[in-house]
Amino acid sequence: MRRLALPLAACLLLAGCAPTVSLTPAPQATAVGCASLIVGIRGIETIGDAQRRQTDAQGTAAWGTPASVTLYCGVETPEASALPCTTQSGVDWLLSESGDERIATTYGRAPGVQLITTRDASVNDALETLSGAVATSTRGTDRRCLADPGASATPSAIP
C-alpha cells in the first residue's frame, strides 16, 4: 500500500502545477449535445503542443498553459453571416478575429460550439482535432455555408 501512496502523491502534486482554467459557461451549456461533446473529447489530451487543462464551467474545455485553445459549447449562432466560412469533418465554421484571438463558431449546428485560439495556437490544429467530435455530438440544421467551396476561407487565411 505504501508504494501506491508515493506515486499518487506525486501525481497530485504535479496536477497542482497547472491550475484550473476559470471560464464562463455559454447560455446553452446544459444542452444534451454539450454533455455528449465534453464526454466525446475527454480523450483529447493535446491540440498541437498544448496539453489539456481542467476548467470550472460546464460545457467548456481548455488546452495550453496559459490556455491557448478554449472550447465553449452552447453558444448562440447567427441566422446568417457574411463572415468567412470553412468546413472541417462535415462541420461548417464561421471564422473571425478579435484582438489577438481567432474565433471559430459552428454554423448550422445545435447546440453551437465556439473555439477560441490565441496567436500561440493553430486554429487549423484545433479544428482538425475537434471537428469530428463536434460532428457526432451536435446535430446539423438546414443552415449551411453558401460560399463556393473553392472560394471559401480556410483557417490558414486567418493569421
Side-chain angles (χ1 to χ4, degrees):
M1 191 74 152
R2 195 178 247 328
R3 286 186 170 176
L4 293 177
L6 183 57
L8 178 59
C11 289
L12 291 174
L13 182 62
L14 290 174
C17 293
T20 298
V21 178
S22 184
L23 299 173
T24 301
Q28 299 168 356
T30 59
V32 172
C34 289
S36 177
L37 176 60
I38 297 305
V39 169
I41 64 172
R42 190 173 283 157
I44 299 175
E45 292 300 320
T46 60
I47 295 179
D49 294 332
Q51 296 294 312
R52 180 80 181 255
R53 303 266 310 275
Q54 288 276 20
T55 63
D56 65 358
Q58 187 167 354
T60 64
W63 292 262
T65 305
S68 57
V69 177
T70 52
L71 175 145
Y72 296 87
C73 186
V75 300
E76 298 290 332
T77 57
E79 290 295 319
S81 178
L83 290 171
C85 191
T86 189
T87 303
Q88 180 76 25
S89 298
V91 178
D92 289 340
W93 296 93
L94 298 173
L95 305 173
S96 63
E97 293 185 47
S98 178
D100 287 338
E101 296 177 331
R102 290 162 297 190
I103 303 164
T105 306
T106 55
Y107 183 72
R109 304 217 58 95
V113 176
Q114 190 169 73
L115 296 173
I116 300 174
T117 61
T118 66
R119 298 275 178 209
D120 297 332
S122 165
V123 69
N124 287 323
D125 287 349
L127 292 176
E128 288 174 11
T129 303
L130 298 168
S131 288
V134 170
T136 59
S137 300
T138 62
R139 63 179 170 73
T141 67
D142 60 351
R143 292 182 283 154
R144 299 281 178 262
C145 291
L146 299 177
D148 173 21
S152 67
T154 61
S156 59
I158 304 245

